[in-house]
Amino acid sequence: MRIRRILAAVIATAALAGLGLTGAATATAGSVASPGSVTPGECTDGGGTIDRSTPVLPTCRGGMYDGQTVD
């Protein structure tokens, strides 16, 4: 009896976690300009700084968008 309750709780938790992940992915999918590229404002708002010493394009260092190019 106890095992059934635990199993039901685990399944319910996994289902709710899955819904939360898909909702978060849907909410953020439209906010990024293109994959791997952020605006200067997004970089600094996400807690990063713009590193202009990279050879090709400036790169966001630190924060939420660490390693992505800045356009």
Side-chain angles (χ1 to χ4, degrees), residues 24-39 42-43 64-65 68-69 71:
T26 303
T28 59
S31 65
V32 176
S34 65
S37 177
V38 296
T39 64
E42 288 174 331
C43 178
M64 189 164 71
Y65 300 106
Q68 293 185 3
T69 58
D71 58 350

Side-chain angles (χ1 to χ4, degrees), residues 3-45:
I3 292 174
R4 286 184 187 172
R5 285 189 212 149
I6 292 172
L7 185 59
V10 168
I11 291 171
T13 303
L16 290 175
L19 289 175
L21 291 176
T22 57
T26 303
T28 59
S31 65
V32 176
S34 65
S37 177
V38 296
T39 64
E42 288 174 331
C43 178
T44 55
D45 289 345

Side-chain angles (χ1 to χ4, degrees), residues 33-67:
S34 65
S37 177
V38 296
T39 64
E42 288 174 331
C43 178
T44 55
D45 289 345
T49 58
I50 300 170
D51 180 10
R52 299 186 191 281
S53 66
T54 53
V56 180
L57 291 173
T59 306
C60 187
R61 297 287 177 211
M64 189 164 71
Y65 300 106
D66 186 35

